[in-house]
Amino acid sequence: MKKVLLTGATGFIGRHCVASLLAKGYEVHAVYLNAQRETSAGVHWHQTDLLDVGQVTKLMAQVQPTHLLHLAWYAVPGKYWTSSENLRWVQASLNLLQLFAAHGGRRVVAAGTCAEYDWRYGYCSEKVTPLAPTTLYGSCKHSLRIILEAFAKQTEISAAWGRIFFLYGPHEYSARLVASVIRSLLQGEPARCSHGNQVRDFLYVQDTAEAFVALLDSDVTGAVNVASGHPVALKDVVNQVAHQLDRPELIQLGAVPAPANEPPLIVAEVDRLTGEVGWTPKYDLQSGLEVTIKWWHEQLSSVERRNSNLW
């Protein structure tokens, strides 16, 4: 039996992995800490602090998974780039890997980041683009990947590393680009943006989750970009949101300065994902935004209903 331990199971990506893992025939053991978990038939939930060695040791001895999908990390917007919490998560991840191997684990996939690449190149290829992270977050992820690959080789565990690019979708932090623009427009407020000429690679979060599950279920090893491979300017993303909500007058491009030294282009080569893993997205930008807008509309409507019942 394929038995997977899913960390970060209530996170932005993890919550979307559960159904896909079940569909692939895995016995799913989902790890959460304090976040409210969703009830899913056939899922074994484990409330565990992954930063606590004792709790993780007990969890691994109890579950003894054959597969590990490790998505958990410190991800507070505006803080995770430089936070010393990144160091704690490197330590926690190494402990998790050692215990996984000690209990007979066979296949691990962990989440990396496009911030491992040298962004001066713009086009990010696993086989060609240099790795030169400029933040503590990127450096910690990069270091963990190097250790993981060496450890996997030594212990004969199959290991892959999914490098995440730019995501959007339900449950995204409200201050991030797509979510903030949608919320502003739904509330009839201006969406103040930078010039929007920056080109990025966006992937809908459900597609991202399914890509990770497909990678886990494959025998592909090493780093794999998890992205769409389609460059899009940020101004085109926000204008697409405005078009779908019919509120183009609320978009204010150039209203705020772009961050200093921001790369003009970050886009992924996805040949490994599509060719070797055999996975392609189900959502394009238009359809992904449609679902995301609908979700945010429901969330805001629910808040309004709760507030109205207070009076």
PDB file of all heavy atoms in Angstrom, residues 153-171:
ATOM      1  N   LYS A 153      20.688   9.793  -2.202  1.00  0.00           N
ATOM      2  CA  LYS A 153      21.640   8.927  -2.893  1.00  0.00           C
ATOM      3  C   LYS A 153      22.281   7.937  -1.927  1.00  0.00           C
ATOM      4  O   LYS A 153      22.428   6.748  -2.230  1.00  0.00           O
ATOM      5  CB  LYS A 153      22.706   9.770  -3.578  1.00  0.00           C
ATOM      6  CG  LYS A 153      23.700   8.959  -4.403  1.00  0.00           C
ATOM      7  CD  LYS A 153      24.690   9.875  -5.112  1.00  0.00           C
ATOM      8  CE  LYS A 153      25.676   9.055  -5.962  1.00  0.00           C
ATOM      9  NZ  LYS A 153      26.639   9.950  -6.662  1.00  0.00           N
ATOM     10  N   GLN A 154      22.621   8.422  -0.756  1.00  0.00           N
ATOM     11  CA  GLN A 154      23.282   7.572   0.237  1.00  0.00           C
ATOM     12  C   GLN A 154      22.350   6.511   0.796  1.00  0.00           C
ATOM     13  O   GLN A 154      22.762   5.376   1.071  1.00  0.00           O
ATOM     14  CB  GLN A 154      23.810   8.449   1.382  1.00  0.00           C
ATOM     15  CG  GLN A 154      24.540   7.701   2.483  1.00  0.00           C
ATOM     16  CD  GLN A 154      25.158   8.650   3.483  1.00  0.00           C
ATOM     17  OE1 GLN A 154      25.962   9.497   3.116  1.00  0.00           O
ATOM     18  NE2 GLN A 154      24.779   8.523   4.745  1.00  0.00           N
ATOM     19  N   THR A 155      21.081   6.866   0.984  1.00  0.00           N
ATOM     20  CA  THR A 155      20.114   5.952   1.589  1.00  0.00           C
ATOM     21  C   THR A 155      19.275   5.205   0.564  1.00  0.00           C
ATOM     22  O   THR A 155      18.419   4.402   0.935  1.00  0.00           O
ATOM     23  CB  THR A 155      19.164   6.726   2.524  1.00  0.00           C
ATOM     24  OG1 THR A 155      18.524   7.780   1.792  1.00  0.00           O
ATOM     25  CG2 THR A 155      19.934   7.323   3.690  1.00  0.00           C
ATOM     26  N   GLU A 156      19.491   5.510  -0.732  1.00  0.00           N
ATOM     27  CA  GLU A 156      18.758   4.879  -1.836  1.00  0.00           C
ATOM     28  C   GLU A 156      17.264   5.183  -1.776  1.00  0.00           C
ATOM     29  O   GLU A 156      16.426   4.363  -2.148  1.00  0.00           O
ATOM     30  CB  GLU A 156      19.009   3.375  -1.870  1.00  0.00           C
ATOM     31  CG  GLU A 156      20.476   3.025  -2.113  1.00  0.00           C
ATOM     32  CD  GLU A 156      20.711   1.527  -2.236  1.00  0.00           C
ATOM     33  OE1 GLU A 156      19.800   0.746  -1.887  1.00  0.00           O
ATOM     34  OE2 GLU A 156      21.801   1.145  -2.685  1.00  0.00           O
ATOM     35  N   ILE A 157      16.938   6.387  -1.302  1.00  0.00           N
ATOM     36  CA  ILE A 157      15.565   6.879  -1.360  1.00  0.00           C
ATOM     37  C   ILE A 157      15.384   7.648  -2.664  1.00  0.00           C
ATOM     38  O   ILE A 157      16.287   8.339  -3.118  1.00  0.00           O
ATOM     39  CB  ILE A 157      15.268   7.804  -0.161  1.00  0.00           C
ATOM     40  CG1 ILE A 157      15.194   6.993   1.123  1.00  0.00           C
ATOM     41  CG2 ILE A 157      13.977   8.582  -0.363  1.00  0.00           C
ATOM     42  CD1 ILE A 157      15.017   7.856   2.358  1.00  0.00           C
ATOM     43  N   SER A 158      14.216   7.530  -3.273  1.00  0.00           N
ATOM     44  CA  SER A 158      13.903   8.305  -4.472  1.00  0.00           C
ATOM     45  C   SER A 158      13.431   9.690  -4.047  1.00  0.00           C
ATOM     46  O   SER A 158      12.525   9.814  -3.208  1.00  0.00           O
ATOM     47  CB  SER A 158      12.809   7.596  -5.280  1.00  0.00           C
ATOM     48  OG  SER A 158      12.406   8.381  -6.379  1.00  0.00           O
ATOM     49  N   ALA A 159      14.052  10.740  -4.604  1.00  0.00           N
ATOM     50  CA  ALA A 159      13.728  12.098  -4.156  1.00  0.00           C
ATOM     51  C   ALA A 159      13.596  13.062  -5.324  1.00  0.00           C
ATOM     52  O   ALA A 159      14.377  13.029  -6.272  1.00  0.00           O
ATOM     53  CB  ALA A 159      14.803  12.618  -3.189  1.00  0.00           C
ATOM     54  N   ALA A 160      12.598  13.936  -5.229  1.00  0.00           N
ATOM     55  CA  ALA A 160      12.400  14.997  -6.218  1.00  0.00           C
ATOM     56  C   ALA A 160      12.126  16.307  -5.489  1.00  0.00           C
ATOM     57  O   ALA A 160      11.695  16.320  -4.329  1.00  0.00           O
ATOM     58  CB  ALA A 160      11.259  14.665  -7.171  1.00  0.00           C
ATOM     59  N   TRP A 161      12.358  17.404  -6.203  1.00  0.00           N
ATOM     60  CA  TRP A 161      12.287  18.742  -5.623  1.00  0.00           C
ATOM     61  C   TRP A 161      11.472  19.627  -6.562  1.00  0.00           C
ATOM     62  O   TRP A 161      11.903  19.929  -7.672  1.00  0.00           O
ATOM     63  CB  TRP A 161      13.712  19.274  -5.460  1.00  0.00           C
ATOM     64  CG  TRP A 161      13.870  20.601  -4.821  1.00  0.00           C
ATOM     65  CD1 TRP A 161      14.065  21.803  -5.451  1.00  0.00           C
ATOM     66  CD2 TRP A 161      13.896  20.881  -3.417  1.00  0.00           C
ATOM     67  NE1 TRP A 161      14.212  22.801  -4.519  1.00  0.00           N
ATOM     68  CE2 TRP A 161      14.125  22.265  -3.264  1.00  0.00           C
ATOM     69  CE3 TRP A 161      13.771  20.087  -2.268  1.00  0.00           C
ATOM     70  CZ2 TRP A 161      14.201  22.869  -2.008  1.00  0.00           C
ATOM     71  CZ3 TRP A 161      13.848  20.692  -1.021  1.00  0.00           C
ATOM     72  CH2 TRP A 161      14.058  22.063  -0.903  1.00  0.00           C
ATOM     73  N   GLY A 162      10.275  20.033  -6.142  1.00  0.00           N
ATOM     74  CA  GLY A 162       9.416  20.848  -6.994  1.00  0.00           C
ATOM     75  C   GLY A 162       9.612  22.326  -6.748  1.00  0.00           C
ATOM     76  O   GLY A 162       9.305  22.819  -5.651  1.00  0.00           O
ATOM     77  N   ARG A 163      10.137  23.037  -7.736  1.00  0.00           N
ATOM     78  CA  ARG A 163      10.377  24.478  -7.578  1.00  0.00           C
ATOM     79  C   ARG A 163       9.121  25.267  -7.960  1.00  0.00           C
ATOM     80  O   ARG A 163       8.724  25.316  -9.128  1.00  0.00           O
ATOM     81  CB  ARG A 163      11.565  24.928  -8.436  1.00  0.00           C
ATOM     82  CG  ARG A 163      12.891  24.455  -7.888  1.00  0.00           C
ATOM     83  CD  ARG A 163      14.050  25.321  -8.390  1.00  0.00           C
ATOM     84  NE  ARG A 163      15.300  24.811  -7.838  1.00  0.00           N
ATOM     85  CZ  ARG A 163      16.238  24.156  -8.536  1.00  0.00           C
ATOM     86  NH1 ARG A 163      16.076  23.955  -9.829  1.00  0.00           N
ATOM     87  NH2 ARG A 163      17.328  23.727  -7.935  1.00  0.00           N
ATOM     88  N   ILE A 164       8.554  25.930  -6.970  1.00  0.00           N
ATOM     89  CA  ILE A 164       7.314  26.678  -7.155  1.00  0.00           C
ATOM     90  C   ILE A 164       7.620  28.074  -7.684  1.00  0.00           C
ATOM     91  O   ILE A 164       8.559  28.730  -7.225  1.00  0.00           O
ATOM     92  CB  ILE A 164       6.555  26.782  -5.817  1.00  0.00           C
ATOM     93  CG1 ILE A 164       6.231  25.378  -5.280  1.00  0.00           C
ATOM     94  CG2 ILE A 164       5.272  27.594  -5.978  1.00  0.00           C
ATOM     95  CD1 ILE A 164       5.778  25.375  -3.833  1.00  0.00           C
ATOM     96  N   PHE A 165       6.774  28.555  -8.599  1.00  0.00           N
ATOM     97  CA  PHE A 165       6.927  29.913  -9.125  1.00  0.00           C
ATOM     98  C   PHE A 165       5.831  30.810  -8.535  1.00  0.00           C
ATOM     99  O   PHE A 165       5.808  31.009  -7.328  1.00  0.00           O
ATOM    100  CB  PHE A 165       6.940  29.889 -10.654  1.00  0.00           C
ATOM    101  CG  PHE A 165       8.297  29.483 -11.203  1.00  0.00           C
ATOM    102  CD1 PHE A 165       8.782  28.190 -11.020  1.00  0.00           C
ATOM    103  CD2 PHE A 165       9.102  30.384 -11.861  1.00  0.00           C
ATOM    104  CE1 PHE A 165      10.045  27.817 -11.473  1.00  0.00           C
ATOM    105  CE2 PHE A 165      10.375  30.029 -12.322  1.00  0.00           C
ATOM    106  CZ  PHE A 165      10.842  28.740 -12.126  1.00  0.00           C
ATOM    107  N   PHE A 166       4.922  31.328  -9.310  1.00  0.00           N
ATOM    108  CA  PHE A 166       3.955  32.300  -8.795  1.00  0.00           C
ATOM    109  C   PHE A 166       2.551  31.705  -8.850  1.00  0.00           C
ATOM    110  O   PHE A 166       2.096  31.262  -9.908  1.00  0.00           O
ATOM    111  CB  PHE A 166       4.043  33.609  -9.595  1.00  0.00           C
ATOM    112  CG  PHE A 166       5.396  34.256  -9.460  1.00  0.00           C
ATOM    113  CD1 PHE A 166       6.436  33.897 -10.306  1.00  0.00           C
ATOM    114  CD2 PHE A 166       5.639  35.181  -8.465  1.00  0.00           C
ATOM    115  CE1 PHE A 166       7.699  34.462 -10.172  1.00  0.00           C
ATOM    116  CE2 PHE A 166       6.888  35.758  -8.312  1.00  0.00           C
ATOM    117  CZ  PHE A 166       7.926  35.392  -9.164  1.00  0.00           C
ATOM    118  N   LEU A 167       1.886  31.705  -7.710  1.00  0.00           N
ATOM    119  CA  LEU A 167       0.597  31.038  -7.572  1.00  0.00           C
ATOM    120  C   LEU A 167      -0.528  32.039  -7.321  1.00  0.00           C
ATOM    121  O   LEU A 167      -0.298  33.170  -6.909  1.00  0.00           O
ATOM    122  CB  LEU A 167       0.641  30.057  -6.395  1.00  0.00           C
ATOM    123  CG  LEU A 167       1.817  29.085  -6.339  1.00  0.00           C
ATOM    124  CD1 LEU A 167       1.646  28.143  -5.147  1.00  0.00           C
ATOM    125  CD2 LEU A 167       1.956  28.310  -7.633  1.00  0.00           C
ATOM    126  N   TYR A 168      -1.739  31.579  -7.538  1.00  0.00           N
ATOM    127  CA  TYR A 168      -2.936  32.328  -7.174  1.00  0.00           C
ATOM    128  C   TYR A 168      -4.063  31.325  -7.037  1.00  0.00           C
ATOM    129  O   TYR A 168      -3.968  30.184  -7.506  1.00  0.00           O
ATOM    130  CB  TYR A 168      -3.282  33.376  -8.237  1.00  0.00           C
ATOM    131  CG  TYR A 168      -3.746  32.773  -9.551  1.00  0.00           C
ATOM    132  CD1 TYR A 168      -5.103  32.636  -9.836  1.00  0.00           C
ATOM    133  CD2 TYR A 168      -2.837  32.302 -10.484  1.00  0.00           C
ATOM    134  CE1 TYR A 168      -5.538  32.061 -11.032  1.00  0.00           C
ATOM    135  CE2 TYR A 168      -3.248  31.722 -11.677  1.00  0.00           C
ATOM    136  CZ  TYR A 168      -4.601  31.601 -11.940  1.00  0.00           C
ATOM    137  OH  TYR A 168      -5.016  31.024 -13.105  1.00  0.00           O
ATOM    138  N   GLY A 169      -5.139  31.739  -6.372  1.00  0.00           N
ATOM    139  CA  GLY A 169      -6.290  30.855  -6.242  1.00  0.00           C
ATOM    140  C   GLY A 169      -6.955  31.008  -4.885  1.00  0.00           C
ATOM    141  O   GLY A 169      -6.562  31.843  -4.063  1.00  0.00           O
ATOM    142  N   PRO A 170      -7.987  30.206  -4.616  1.00  0.00           N
ATOM    143  CA  PRO A 170      -8.684  30.249  -3.333  1.00  0.00           C
ATOM    144  C   PRO A 170      -7.740  30.033  -2.155  1.00  0.00           C
ATOM    145  O   PRO A 170      -6.786  29.261  -2.248  1.00  0.00           O
ATOM    146  CB  PRO A 170      -9.686  29.096  -3.445  1.00  0.00           C
ATOM    147  CG  PRO A 170      -9.933  28.953  -4.917  1.00  0.00           C
ATOM    148  CD  PRO A 170      -8.612  29.253  -5.562  1.00  0.00           C
ATOM    149  N   HIS A 171      -8.006  30.755  -1.079  1.00  0.00           N
ATOM    150  CA  HIS A 171      -7.249  30.665   0.178  1.00  0.00           C
ATOM    151  C   HIS A 171      -5.898  31.372   0.120  1.00  0.00           C
ATOM    152  O   HIS A 171      -5.096  31.242   1.055  1.00  0.00           O
ATOM    153  CB  HIS A 171      -7.054  29.214   0.611  1.00  0.00           C
ATOM    154  CG  HIS A 171      -8.320  28.466   0.846  1.00  0.00           C
ATOM    155  ND1 HIS A 171      -9.060  28.605   2.000  1.00  0.00           N
ATOM    156  CD2 HIS A 171      -8.993  27.573   0.064  1.00  0.00           C
ATOM    157  CE1 HIS A 171     -10.136  27.824   1.930  1.00  0.00           C
ATOM    158  NE2 HIS A 171     -10.117  27.201   0.770  1.00  0.00           N
TER     159      HIS A 171
END
